[in-house]
Structures are given as structure tokens and as C-alpha cells.
Amino acid sequence: MKCILKIVKRETEYFMPQIETKIMNEGWASYWHYTILNSLELPEGLHFEFLKRHNDVIAPVAGGLNPYYMGFKIFEDIERRYGKEKLFEVRSLERDNSFIRKYLTQDLCEELNLFQYAKKSFEFV
């Protein structure tokens, strides 16, 4: 039993940082994939194929969150507002909780369609 608990503890220690940075990891990979492939000046057919596959990965999920999409859009916004150097600072210092708290703006929330409105009786909530 002690041996099993040690194994579970080691597995948890390994996976915990990945769990804490899922949106950042997927957004980071999607951001750089998009940035690098756009800079390659691919032939039109290959560029179209790349865009199709990229958009399939970062497609928003109705009624849910796609970590690739959310992370990608936040990193894009950080670059637009603060410059490329800030991306590396954010990447090295933040985890998903602080990343979202500090860099998910109201404009991004609206763009990502994160608000849900419903009518309850005579009020909208």
C-alpha cells in the first residue's frame, strides 16, 4: 500500500504543473504554431491546409471552453498590447489562474463569447 501511495504521489507531482498551466500550454503552442507557419510564406495550397487545421484546433466550443482557443486569443492580445517580449515574461511567471485573472479582459470575454445571458421571469441575468 505504501508503494502504491508513493507511485500516486510521484504521478501527481509530475502532472500537477501541467494541469495548472493547461490553457497557457495549449495557447502557447497554438500561438507559436500560427506565428511561425504564417512567417514561412507557404505556397497557397499548403497555407490554406495549415489555416484549416489551425482553425479546427482553436475552434470555439459552444457552451464550453476550448483551452487552445482561449490561450491563443489571450497570447495574441498580450502581444498586441505589450509586445512580443511580454509573452516570454508572462510564460515564465504565470499559471492559468493568474494568467486569466491578469490578462483576460472584458473585450476578450465578449470576443470569446464567455458571457451567457438568460431571461428569468422579468429580469435578465
Side-chain angles (χ1 to χ4, degrees), residues 19-55:
I19 293 166
E20 292 174 342
T21 58
K22 180 155 184 72
I23 291 170
M24 288 183 70
N25 288 343
E26 307 308 3
W28 184 255
S30 299
Y31 170 84
W32 285 108
H33 180 249
Y34 180 79
T35 302
I36 291 167
L37 282 166
N38 260 337
S39 72
L40 293 179
E41 298 179 14
L42 297 169
E44 191 174 315
L46 285 176
H47 188 73
F48 179 75
E49 183 66 25
F50 146 66
L51 286 176
K52 162 96 174 78
R53 294 190 184 278
H54 173 76
N55 289 336

PDB file of all heavy atoms in Angstrom, residues 19-55:
ATOM      1  N   ILE A  19      -1.423  20.468 -15.304  1.00  0.00           N
ATOM      2  CA  ILE A  19      -2.833  20.768 -15.054  1.00  0.00           C
ATOM      3  C   ILE A  19      -3.006  22.253 -14.751  1.00  0.00           C
ATOM      4  O   ILE A  19      -3.954  22.881 -15.200  1.00  0.00           O
ATOM      5  CB  ILE A  19      -3.379  19.890 -13.899  1.00  0.00           C
ATOM      6  CG1 ILE A  19      -3.419  18.427 -14.325  1.00  0.00           C
ATOM      7  CG2 ILE A  19      -4.749  20.369 -13.448  1.00  0.00           C
ATOM      8  CD1 ILE A  19      -3.622  17.447 -13.188  1.00  0.00           C
ATOM      9  N   GLU A  20      -2.063  22.815 -13.997  1.00  0.00           N
ATOM     10  CA  GLU A  20      -2.143  24.223 -13.603  1.00  0.00           C
ATOM     11  C   GLU A  20      -1.858  25.189 -14.751  1.00  0.00           C
ATOM     12  O   GLU A  20      -2.061  26.389 -14.598  1.00  0.00           O
ATOM     13  CB  GLU A  20      -1.166  24.502 -12.458  1.00  0.00           C
ATOM     14  CG  GLU A  20      -1.538  23.821 -11.163  1.00  0.00           C
ATOM     15  CD  GLU A  20      -0.495  24.000 -10.084  1.00  0.00           C
ATOM     16  OE1 GLU A  20       0.666  24.352 -10.394  1.00  0.00           O
ATOM     17  OE2 GLU A  20      -0.835  23.786  -8.912  1.00  0.00           O
ATOM     18  N   THR A  21      -1.348  24.680 -15.869  1.00  0.00           N
ATOM     19  CA  THR A  21      -0.996  25.567 -16.994  1.00  0.00           C
ATOM     20  C   THR A  21      -1.597  25.085 -18.312  1.00  0.00           C
ATOM     21  O   THR A  21      -1.072  25.384 -19.381  1.00  0.00           O
ATOM     22  CB  THR A  21       0.541  25.670 -17.136  1.00  0.00           C
ATOM     23  OG1 THR A  21       1.083  24.369 -17.326  1.00  0.00           O
ATOM     24  CG2 THR A  21       1.172  26.337 -15.936  1.00  0.00           C
ATOM     25  N   LYS A  22      -2.691  24.378 -18.270  1.00  0.00           N
ATOM     26  CA  LYS A  22      -3.278  23.811 -19.486  1.00  0.00           C
ATOM     27  C   LYS A  22      -3.630  24.886 -20.516  1.00  0.00           C
ATOM     28  O   LYS A  22      -3.266  24.777 -21.686  1.00  0.00           O
ATOM     29  CB  LYS A  22      -4.514  22.991 -19.166  1.00  0.00           C
ATOM     30  CG  LYS A  22      -5.141  22.391 -20.426  1.00  0.00           C
ATOM     31  CD  LYS A  22      -5.920  21.174 -20.111  1.00  0.00           C
ATOM     32  CE  LYS A  22      -6.470  20.514 -21.329  1.00  0.00           C
ATOM     33  NZ  LYS A  22      -5.503  19.841 -22.154  1.00  0.00           N
ATOM     34  N   ILE A  23      -4.327  25.929 -20.109  1.00  0.00           N
ATOM     35  CA  ILE A  23      -4.723  26.983 -21.051  1.00  0.00           C
ATOM     36  C   ILE A  23      -3.495  27.682 -21.597  1.00  0.00           C
ATOM     37  O   ILE A  23      -3.394  27.950 -22.798  1.00  0.00           O
ATOM     38  CB  ILE A  23      -5.703  27.967 -20.377  1.00  0.00           C
ATOM     39  CG1 ILE A  23      -7.028  27.250 -20.119  1.00  0.00           C
ATOM     40  CG2 ILE A  23      -5.911  29.222 -21.219  1.00  0.00           C
ATOM     41  CD1 ILE A  23      -8.002  28.024 -19.257  1.00  0.00           C
ATOM     42  N   MET A  24      -2.528  27.951 -20.724  1.00  0.00           N
ATOM     43  CA  MET A  24      -1.299  28.598 -21.177  1.00  0.00           C
ATOM     44  C   MET A  24      -0.517  27.692 -22.127  1.00  0.00           C
ATOM     45  O   MET A  24      -0.038  28.153 -23.164  1.00  0.00           O
ATOM     46  CB  MET A  24      -0.417  28.975 -19.989  1.00  0.00           C
ATOM     47  CG  MET A  24      -0.959  30.128 -19.187  1.00  0.00           C
ATOM     48  SD  MET A  24       0.137  30.599 -17.844  1.00  0.00           S
ATOM     49  CE  MET A  24       1.487  31.317 -18.779  1.00  0.00           C
ATOM     50  N   ASN A  25      -0.366  26.412 -21.788  1.00  0.00           N
ATOM     51  CA  ASN A  25       0.395  25.492 -22.645  1.00  0.00           C
ATOM     52  C   ASN A  25      -0.231  25.369 -24.029  1.00  0.00           C
ATOM     53  O   ASN A  25       0.464  25.461 -25.049  1.00  0.00           O
ATOM     54  CB  ASN A  25       0.481  24.100 -22.009  1.00  0.00           C
ATOM     55  CG  ASN A  25       1.397  24.066 -20.818  1.00  0.00           C
ATOM     56  OD1 ASN A  25       2.217  24.951 -20.615  1.00  0.00           O
ATOM     57  ND2 ASN A  25       1.255  23.038 -20.005  1.00  0.00           N
ATOM     58  N   GLU A  26      -1.531  25.149 -24.067  1.00  0.00           N
ATOM     59  CA  GLU A  26      -2.193  24.961 -25.364  1.00  0.00           C
ATOM     60  C   GLU A  26      -2.210  26.264 -26.152  1.00  0.00           C
ATOM     61  O   GLU A  26      -2.028  26.273 -27.367  1.00  0.00           O
ATOM     62  CB  GLU A  26      -3.617  24.429 -25.163  1.00  0.00           C
ATOM     63  CG  GLU A  26      -3.755  23.187 -24.297  1.00  0.00           C
ATOM     64  CD  GLU A  26      -2.883  21.999 -24.674  1.00  0.00           C
ATOM     65  OE1 GLU A  26      -2.069  22.089 -25.611  1.00  0.00           O
ATOM     66  OE2 GLU A  26      -3.014  20.957 -24.022  1.00  0.00           O
ATOM     67  N   GLY A  27      -2.431  27.378 -25.465  1.00  0.00           N
ATOM     68  CA  GLY A  27      -2.414  28.676 -26.133  1.00  0.00           C
ATOM     69  C   GLY A  27      -1.043  29.020 -26.661  1.00  0.00           C
ATOM     70  O   GLY A  27      -0.897  29.550 -27.773  1.00  0.00           O
ATOM     71  N   TRP A  28      -0.001  28.717 -25.887  1.00  0.00           N
ATOM     72  CA  TRP A  28       1.382  28.980 -26.283  1.00  0.00           C
ATOM     73  C   TRP A  28       1.724  28.186 -27.543  1.00  0.00           C
ATOM     74  O   TRP A  28       2.272  28.734 -28.502  1.00  0.00           O
ATOM     75  CB  TRP A  28       2.304  28.607 -25.124  1.00  0.00           C
ATOM     76  CG  TRP A  28       3.757  28.900 -25.303  1.00  0.00           C
ATOM     77  CD1 TRP A  28       4.746  28.001 -25.560  1.00  0.00           C
ATOM     78  CD2 TRP A  28       4.398  30.177 -25.206  1.00  0.00           C
ATOM     79  NE1 TRP A  28       5.954  28.639 -25.624  1.00  0.00           N
ATOM     80  CE2 TRP A  28       5.768  29.982 -25.404  1.00  0.00           C
ATOM     81  CE3 TRP A  28       3.933  31.467 -24.969  1.00  0.00           C
ATOM     82  CZ2 TRP A  28       6.694  31.015 -25.381  1.00  0.00           C
ATOM     83  CZ3 TRP A  28       4.848  32.508 -24.934  1.00  0.00           C
ATOM     84  CH2 TRP A  28       6.209  32.277 -25.144  1.00  0.00           C
ATOM     85  N   ALA A  29       1.405  26.918 -27.543  1.00  0.00           N
ATOM     86  CA  ALA A  29       1.687  26.073 -28.713  1.00  0.00           C
ATOM     87  C   ALA A  29       0.920  26.568 -29.935  1.00  0.00           C
ATOM     88  O   ALA A  29       1.482  26.674 -31.032  1.00  0.00           O
ATOM     89  CB  ALA A  29       1.320  24.616 -28.404  1.00  0.00           C
ATOM     90  N   SER A  30      -0.343  26.893 -29.764  1.00  0.00           N
ATOM     91  CA  SER A  30      -1.163  27.373 -30.887  1.00  0.00           C
ATOM     92  C   SER A  30      -0.664  28.715 -31.397  1.00  0.00           C
ATOM     93  O   SER A  30      -0.608  28.946 -32.609  1.00  0.00           O
ATOM     94  CB  SER A  30      -2.628  27.511 -30.455  1.00  0.00           C
ATOM     95  OG  SER A  30      -3.129  26.273 -30.051  1.00  0.00           O
ATOM     96  N   TYR A  31      -0.296  29.600 -30.472  1.00  0.00           N
ATOM     97  CA  TYR A  31       0.202  30.929 -30.858  1.00  0.00           C
ATOM     98  C   TYR A  31       1.463  30.797 -31.708  1.00  0.00           C
ATOM     99  O   TYR A  31       1.577  31.412 -32.770  1.00  0.00           O
ATOM    100  CB  TYR A  31       0.483  31.772 -29.604  1.00  0.00           C
ATOM    101  CG  TYR A  31       1.206  33.045 -29.922  1.00  0.00           C
ATOM    102  CD1 TYR A  31       0.511  34.175 -30.335  1.00  0.00           C
ATOM    103  CD2 TYR A  31       2.592  33.114 -29.863  1.00  0.00           C
ATOM    104  CE1 TYR A  31       1.176  35.340 -30.662  1.00  0.00           C
ATOM    105  CE2 TYR A  31       3.260  34.275 -30.187  1.00  0.00           C
ATOM    106  CZ  TYR A  31       2.559  35.383 -30.585  1.00  0.00           C
ATOM    107  OH  TYR A  31       3.219  36.537 -30.926  1.00  0.00           O
ATOM    108  N   TRP A  32       2.439  30.010 -31.241  1.00  0.00           N
ATOM    109  CA  TRP A  32       3.707  29.891 -31.976  1.00  0.00           C
ATOM    110  C   TRP A  32       3.545  29.094 -33.258  1.00  0.00           C
ATOM    111  O   TRP A  32       4.192  29.397 -34.268  1.00  0.00           O
ATOM    112  CB  TRP A  32       4.796  29.325 -31.068  1.00  0.00           C
ATOM    113  CG  TRP A  32       5.244  30.384 -30.129  1.00  0.00           C
ATOM    114  CD1 TRP A  32       4.991  30.464 -28.791  1.00  0.00           C
ATOM    115  CD2 TRP A  32       5.960  31.576 -30.475  1.00  0.00           C
ATOM    116  NE1 TRP A  32       5.511  31.627 -28.284  1.00  0.00           N
ATOM    117  CE2 TRP A  32       6.122  32.330 -29.293  1.00  0.00           C
ATOM    118  CE3 TRP A  32       6.483  32.081 -31.655  1.00  0.00           C
ATOM    119  CZ2 TRP A  32       6.786  33.555 -29.262  1.00  0.00           C
ATOM    120  CZ3 TRP A  32       7.141  33.310 -31.634  1.00  0.00           C
ATOM    121  CH2 TRP A  32       7.286  34.026 -30.449  1.00  0.00           C
ATOM    122  N   HIS A  33       2.707  28.095 -33.249  1.00  0.00           N
ATOM    123  CA  HIS A  33       2.430  27.343 -34.472  1.00  0.00           C
ATOM    124  C   HIS A  33       1.899  28.292 -35.538  1.00  0.00           C
ATOM    125  O   HIS A  33       2.370  28.305 -36.679  1.00  0.00           O
ATOM    126  CB  HIS A  33       1.425  26.228 -34.164  1.00  0.00           C
ATOM    127  CG  HIS A  33       1.065  25.395 -35.342  1.00  0.00           C
ATOM    128  ND1 HIS A  33      -0.186  25.432 -35.914  1.00  0.00           N
ATOM    129  CD2 HIS A  33       1.788  24.519 -36.064  1.00  0.00           C
ATOM    130  CE1 HIS A  33      -0.212  24.602 -36.937  1.00  0.00           C
ATOM    131  NE2 HIS A  33       0.965  24.036 -37.052  1.00  0.00           N
ATOM    132  N   TYR A  34       0.944  29.104 -35.161  1.00  0.00           N
ATOM    133  CA  TYR A  34       0.341  30.071 -36.080  1.00  0.00           C
ATOM    134  C   TYR A  34       1.366  31.116 -36.541  1.00  0.00           C
ATOM    135  O   TYR A  34       1.496  31.407 -37.726  1.00  0.00           O
ATOM    136  CB  TYR A  34      -0.842  30.752 -35.383  1.00  0.00           C
ATOM    137  CG  TYR A  34      -1.552  31.767 -36.234  1.00  0.00           C
ATOM    138  CD1 TYR A  34      -2.457  31.368 -37.210  1.00  0.00           C
ATOM    139  CD2 TYR A  34      -1.314  33.119 -36.069  1.00  0.00           C
ATOM    140  CE1 TYR A  34      -3.110  32.307 -37.996  1.00  0.00           C
ATOM    141  CE2 TYR A  34      -1.965  34.063 -36.844  1.00  0.00           C
ATOM    142  CZ  TYR A  34      -2.854  33.644 -37.811  1.00  0.00           C
ATOM    143  OH  TYR A  34      -3.503  34.578 -38.592  1.00  0.00           O
ATOM    144  N   THR A  35       2.122  31.660 -35.596  1.00  0.00           N
ATOM    145  CA  THR A  35       3.100  32.706 -35.906  1.00  0.00           C
ATOM    146  C   THR A  35       4.202  32.199 -36.829  1.00  0.00           C
ATOM    147  O   THR A  35       4.537  32.849 -37.830  1.00  0.00           O
ATOM    148  CB  THR A  35       3.713  33.248 -34.589  1.00  0.00           C
ATOM    149  OG1 THR A  35       2.653  33.746 -33.769  1.00  0.00           O
ATOM    150  CG2 THR A  35       4.712  34.352 -34.850  1.00  0.00           C
ATOM    151  N   ILE A  36       4.748  31.049 -36.514  1.00  0.00           N
ATOM    152  CA  ILE A  36       5.850  30.504 -37.317  1.00  0.00           C
ATOM    153  C   ILE A  36       5.373  30.117 -38.711  1.00  0.00           C
ATOM    154  O   ILE A  36       5.997  30.474 -39.716  1.00  0.00           O
ATOM    155  CB  ILE A  36       6.504  29.304 -36.598  1.00  0.00           C
ATOM    156  CG1 ILE A  36       7.248  29.794 -35.352  1.00  0.00           C
ATOM    157  CG2 ILE A  36       7.438  28.542 -37.532  1.00  0.00           C
ATOM    158  CD1 ILE A  36       7.674  28.698 -34.396  1.00  0.00           C
ATOM    159  N   LEU A  37       4.265  29.405 -38.797  1.00  0.00           N
ATOM    160  CA  LEU A  37       3.802  28.974 -40.114  1.00  0.00           C
ATOM    161  C   LEU A  37       3.349  30.144 -40.982  1.00  0.00           C
ATOM    162  O   LEU A  37       3.513  30.105 -42.202  1.00  0.00           O
ATOM    163  CB  LEU A  37       2.714  27.909 -39.985  1.00  0.00           C
ATOM    164  CG  LEU A  37       3.312  26.538 -39.654  1.00  0.00           C
ATOM    165  CD1 LEU A  37       2.260  25.571 -39.183  1.00  0.00           C
ATOM    166  CD2 LEU A  37       4.047  25.965 -40.845  1.00  0.00           C
ATOM    167  N   ASN A  38       2.822  31.189 -40.376  1.00  0.00           N
ATOM    168  CA  ASN A  38       2.454  32.373 -41.155  1.00  0.00           C
ATOM    169  C   ASN A  38       3.681  33.076 -41.707  1.00  0.00           C
ATOM    170  O   ASN A  38       3.624  33.703 -42.760  1.00  0.00           O
ATOM    171  CB  ASN A  38       1.632  33.356 -40.323  1.00  0.00           C
ATOM    172  CG  ASN A  38       0.164  33.235 -40.610  1.00  0.00           C
ATOM    173  OD1 ASN A  38      -0.248  32.762 -41.660  1.00  0.00           O
ATOM    174  ND2 ASN A  38      -0.638  33.649 -39.666  1.00  0.00           N
ATOM    175  N   SER A  39       4.800  32.986 -41.011  1.00  0.00           N
ATOM    176  CA  SER A  39       6.017  33.670 -41.458  1.00  0.00           C
ATOM    177  C   SER A  39       6.767  32.902 -42.547  1.00  0.00           C
ATOM    178  O   SER A  39       7.687  33.440 -43.147  1.00  0.00           O
ATOM    179  CB  SER A  39       6.948  33.912 -40.271  1.00  0.00           C
ATOM    180  OG  SER A  39       7.526  32.700 -39.837  1.00  0.00           O
ATOM    181  N   LEU A  40       6.388  31.673 -42.816  1.00  0.00           N
ATOM    182  CA  LEU A  40       7.119  30.840 -43.778  1.00  0.00           C
ATOM    183  C   LEU A  40       6.782  31.121 -45.241  1.00  0.00           C
ATOM    184  O   LEU A  40       7.454  30.612 -46.119  1.00  0.00           O
ATOM    185  CB  LEU A  40       6.870  29.350 -43.487  1.00  0.00           C
ATOM    186  CG  LEU A  40       7.433  28.818 -42.190  1.00  0.00           C
ATOM    187  CD1 LEU A  40       7.085  27.343 -42.025  1.00  0.00           C
ATOM    188  CD2 LEU A  40       8.934  29.014 -42.127  1.00  0.00           C
ATOM    189  N   GLU A  41       5.759  31.903 -45.487  1.00  0.00           N
ATOM    190  CA  GLU A  41       5.319  32.189 -46.855  1.00  0.00           C
ATOM    191  C   GLU A  41       5.122  30.887 -47.642  1.00  0.00           C
ATOM    192  O   GLU A  41       5.699  30.667 -48.708  1.00  0.00           O
ATOM    193  CB  GLU A  41       6.307  33.116 -47.559  1.00  0.00           C
ATOM    194  CG  GLU A  41       6.428  34.462 -46.867  1.00  0.00           C
ATOM    195  CD  GLU A  41       7.429  35.398 -47.524  1.00  0.00           C
ATOM    196  OE1 GLU A  41       7.854  35.144 -48.670  1.00  0.00           O
ATOM    197  OE2 GLU A  41       7.773  36.392 -46.872  1.00  0.00           O
ATOM    198  N   LEU A  42       4.293  30.022 -47.085  1.00  0.00           N
ATOM    199  CA  LEU A  42       3.979  28.736 -47.710  1.00  0.00           C
ATOM    200  C   LEU A  42       3.232  28.951 -49.015  1.00  0.00           C
ATOM    201  O   LEU A  42       2.534  29.952 -49.178  1.00  0.00           O
ATOM    202  CB  LEU A  42       3.101  27.902 -46.775  1.00  0.00           C
ATOM    203  CG  LEU A  42       3.713  27.493 -45.432  1.00  0.00           C
ATOM    204  CD1 LEU A  42       2.642  26.915 -44.534  1.00  0.00           C
ATOM    205  CD2 LEU A  42       4.840  26.508 -45.643  1.00  0.00           C
ATOM    206  N   PRO A  43       3.344  27.999 -49.955  1.00  0.00           N
ATOM    207  CA  PRO A  43       2.502  28.064 -51.154  1.00  0.00           C
ATOM    208  C   PRO A  43       1.028  28.085 -50.746  1.00  0.00           C
ATOM    209  O   PRO A  43       0.658  27.575 -49.685  1.00  0.00           O
ATOM    210  CB  PRO A  43       2.832  26.768 -51.902  1.00  0.00           C
ATOM    211  CG  PRO A  43       4.136  26.303 -51.344  1.00  0.00           C
ATOM    212  CD  PRO A  43       4.222  26.841 -49.952  1.00  0.00           C
ATOM    213  N   GLU A  44       0.198  28.663 -51.573  1.00  0.00           N
ATOM    214  CA  GLU A  44      -1.203  28.896 -51.227  1.00  0.00           C
ATOM    215  C   GLU A  44      -1.916  27.634 -50.733  1.00  0.00           C
ATOM    216  O   GLU A  44      -2.633  27.664 -49.741  1.00  0.00           O
ATOM    217  CB  GLU A  44      -1.944  29.473 -52.433  1.00  0.00           C
ATOM    218  CG  GLU A  44      -3.323  29.978 -52.096  1.00  0.00           C
ATOM    219  CD  GLU A  44      -3.976  30.674 -53.274  1.00  0.00           C
ATOM    220  OE1 GLU A  44      -3.309  31.483 -53.935  1.00  0.00           O
ATOM    221  OE2 GLU A  44      -5.151  30.378 -53.519  1.00  0.00           O
ATOM    222  N   GLY A  45      -1.720  26.509 -51.407  1.00  0.00           N
ATOM    223  CA  GLY A  45      -2.388  25.263 -51.017  1.00  0.00           C
ATOM    224  C   GLY A  45      -1.983  24.800 -49.632  1.00  0.00           C
ATOM    225  O   GLY A  45      -2.819  24.386 -48.829  1.00  0.00           O
ATOM    226  N   LEU A  46      -0.679  24.865 -49.341  1.00  0.00           N
ATOM    227  CA  LEU A  46      -0.197  24.465 -48.020  1.00  0.00           C
ATOM    228  C   LEU A  46      -0.642  25.451 -46.942  1.00  0.00           C
ATOM    229  O   LEU A  46      -0.985  25.058 -45.828  1.00  0.00           O
ATOM    230  CB  LEU A  46       1.330  24.363 -48.012  1.00  0.00           C
ATOM    231  CG  LEU A  46       1.928  23.146 -48.699  1.00  0.00           C
ATOM    232  CD1 LEU A  46       3.444  23.236 -48.704  1.00  0.00           C
ATOM    233  CD2 LEU A  46       1.468  21.869 -48.033  1.00  0.00           C
ATOM    234  N   HIS A  47      -0.635  26.732 -47.277  1.00  0.00           N
ATOM    235  CA  HIS A  47      -1.064  27.746 -46.307  1.00  0.00           C
ATOM    236  C   HIS A  47      -2.547  27.542 -45.957  1.00  0.00           C
ATOM    237  O   HIS A  47      -2.929  27.627 -44.791  1.00  0.00           O
ATOM    238  CB  HIS A  47      -0.831  29.160 -46.849  1.00  0.00           C
ATOM    239  CG  HIS A  47      -1.073  30.224 -45.836  1.00  0.00           C
ATOM    240  ND1 HIS A  47      -0.212  30.464 -44.785  1.00  0.00           N
ATOM    241  CD2 HIS A  47      -2.097  31.098 -45.683  1.00  0.00           C
ATOM    242  CE1 HIS A  47      -0.684  31.435 -44.041  1.00  0.00           C
ATOM    243  NE2 HIS A  47      -1.832  31.837 -44.566  1.00  0.00           N
ATOM    244  N   PHE A  48      -3.350  27.258 -46.965  1.00  0.00           N
ATOM    245  CA  PHE A  48      -4.767  27.003 -46.726  1.00  0.00           C
ATOM    246  C   PHE A  48      -4.948  25.775 -45.836  1.00  0.00           C
ATOM    247  O   PHE A  48      -5.759  25.778 -44.907  1.00  0.00           O
ATOM    248  CB  PHE A  48      -5.516  26.826 -48.052  1.00  0.00           C
ATOM    249  CG  PHE A  48      -6.972  26.546 -47.868  1.00  0.00           C
ATOM    250  CD1 PHE A  48      -7.848  27.560 -47.507  1.00  0.00           C
ATOM    251  CD2 PHE A  48      -7.466  25.256 -48.024  1.00  0.00           C
ATOM    252  CE1 PHE A  48      -9.200  27.303 -47.319  1.00  0.00           C
ATOM    253  CE2 PHE A  48      -8.811  24.986 -47.830  1.00  0.00           C
ATOM    254  CZ  PHE A  48      -9.677  26.016 -47.481  1.00  0.00           C
ATOM    255  N   GLU A  49      -4.175  24.722 -46.106  1.00  0.00           N
ATOM    256  CA  GLU A  49      -4.249  23.498 -45.292  1.00  0.00           C
ATOM    257  C   GLU A  49      -3.858  23.791 -43.844  1.00  0.00           C
ATOM    258  O   GLU A  49      -4.507  23.331 -42.900  1.00  0.00           O
ATOM    259  CB  GLU A  49      -3.334  22.424 -45.879  1.00  0.00           C
ATOM    260  CG  GLU A  49      -3.375  21.101 -45.165  1.00  0.00           C
ATOM    261  CD  GLU A  49      -4.704  20.375 -45.277  1.00  0.00           C
ATOM    262  OE1 GLU A  49      -5.458  20.621 -46.252  1.00  0.00           O
ATOM    263  OE2 GLU A  49      -5.000  19.571 -44.387  1.00  0.00           O
ATOM    264  N   PHE A  50      -2.796  24.571 -43.668  1.00  0.00           N
ATOM    265  CA  PHE A  50      -2.365  24.966 -42.322  1.00  0.00           C
ATOM    266  C   PHE A  50      -3.470  25.743 -41.606  1.00  0.00           C
ATOM    267  O   PHE A  50      -3.790  25.462 -40.452  1.00  0.00           O
ATOM    268  CB  PHE A  50      -1.077  25.801 -42.409  1.00  0.00           C
ATOM    269  CG  PHE A  50      -0.976  26.864 -41.366  1.00  0.00           C
ATOM    270  CD1 PHE A  50      -0.851  26.538 -40.020  1.00  0.00           C
ATOM    271  CD2 PHE A  50      -1.020  28.205 -41.713  1.00  0.00           C
ATOM    272  CE1 PHE A  50      -0.770  27.540 -39.052  1.00  0.00           C
ATOM    273  CE2 PHE A  50      -0.949  29.194 -40.758  1.00  0.00           C
ATOM    274  CZ  PHE A  50      -0.815  28.862 -39.423  1.00  0.00           C
ATOM    275  N   LEU A  51      -4.063  26.733 -42.280  1.00  0.00           N
ATOM    276  CA  LEU A  51      -5.117  27.532 -41.663  1.00  0.00           C
ATOM    277  C   LEU A  51      -6.317  26.674 -41.277  1.00  0.00           C
ATOM    278  O   LEU A  51      -6.903  26.842 -40.206  1.00  0.00           O
ATOM    279  CB  LEU A  51      -5.562  28.660 -42.589  1.00  0.00           C
ATOM    280  CG  LEU A  51      -4.606  29.835 -42.717  1.00  0.00           C
ATOM    281  CD1 LEU A  51      -5.127  30.835 -43.741  1.00  0.00           C
ATOM    282  CD2 LEU A  51      -4.382  30.514 -41.383  1.00  0.00           C
ATOM    283  N   LYS A  52      -6.676  25.742 -42.142  1.00  0.00           N
ATOM    284  CA  LYS A  52      -7.807  24.854 -41.862  1.00  0.00           C
ATOM    285  C   LYS A  52      -7.546  24.046 -40.596  1.00  0.00           C
ATOM    286  O   LYS A  52      -8.382  23.979 -39.692  1.00  0.00           O
ATOM    287  CB  LYS A  52      -8.040  23.935 -43.063  1.00  0.00           C
ATOM    288  CG  LYS A  52      -8.868  22.697 -42.774  1.00  0.00           C
ATOM    289  CD  LYS A  52     -10.313  22.892 -43.121  1.00  0.00           C
ATOM    290  CE  LYS A  52     -11.138  21.643 -42.986  1.00  0.00           C
ATOM    291  NZ  LYS A  52     -11.510  21.280 -41.642  1.00  0.00           N
ATOM    292  N   ARG A  53      -6.370  23.444 -40.523  1.00  0.00           N
ATOM    293  CA  ARG A  53      -6.043  22.608 -39.356  1.00  0.00           C
ATOM    294  C   ARG A  53      -5.909  23.451 -38.088  1.00  0.00           C
ATOM    295  O   ARG A  53      -6.365  23.046 -37.016  1.00  0.00           O
ATOM    296  CB  ARG A  53      -4.778  21.803 -39.609  1.00  0.00           C
ATOM    297  CG  ARG A  53      -4.988  20.784 -40.718  1.00  0.00           C
ATOM    298  CD  ARG A  53      -3.855  19.807 -40.834  1.00  0.00           C
ATOM    299  NE  ARG A  53      -4.043  18.926 -41.959  1.00  0.00           N
ATOM    300  CZ  ARG A  53      -4.805  17.843 -41.955  1.00  0.00           C
ATOM    301  NH1 ARG A  53      -5.484  17.533 -40.874  1.00  0.00           N
ATOM    302  NH2 ARG A  53      -4.910  17.088 -43.016  1.00  0.00           N
ATOM    303  N   HIS A  54      -5.297  24.606 -38.219  1.00  0.00           N
ATOM    304  CA  HIS A  54      -5.163  25.511 -37.065  1.00  0.00           C
ATOM    305  C   HIS A  54      -6.548  25.910 -36.540  1.00  0.00           C
ATOM    306  O   HIS A  54      -6.804  25.853 -35.335  1.00  0.00           O
ATOM    307  CB  HIS A  54      -4.364  26.750 -37.470  1.00  0.00           C
ATOM    308  CG  HIS A  54      -4.317  27.800 -36.406  1.00  0.00           C
ATOM    309  ND1 HIS A  54      -3.519  27.682 -35.295  1.00  0.00           N
ATOM    310  CD2 HIS A  54      -4.979  28.972 -36.282  1.00  0.00           C
ATOM    311  CE1 HIS A  54      -3.693  28.744 -34.518  1.00  0.00           C
ATOM    312  NE2 HIS A  54      -4.566  29.541 -35.100  1.00  0.00           N
ATOM    313  N   ASN A  55      -7.423  26.293 -37.453  1.00  0.00           N
ATOM    314  CA  ASN A  55      -8.768  26.714 -37.053  1.00  0.00           C
ATOM    315  C   ASN A  55      -9.581  25.568 -36.472  1.00  0.00           C
ATOM    316  O   ASN A  55     -10.428  25.785 -35.603  1.00  0.00           O
ATOM    317  CB  ASN A  55      -9.498  27.374 -38.219  1.00  0.00           C
ATOM    318  CG  ASN A  55      -8.924  28.733 -38.542  1.00  0.00           C
ATOM    319  OD1 ASN A  55      -8.315  29.379 -37.694  1.00  0.00           O
ATOM    320  ND2 ASN A  55      -9.086  29.180 -39.763  1.00  0.00           N
TER     321      ASN A  55
END
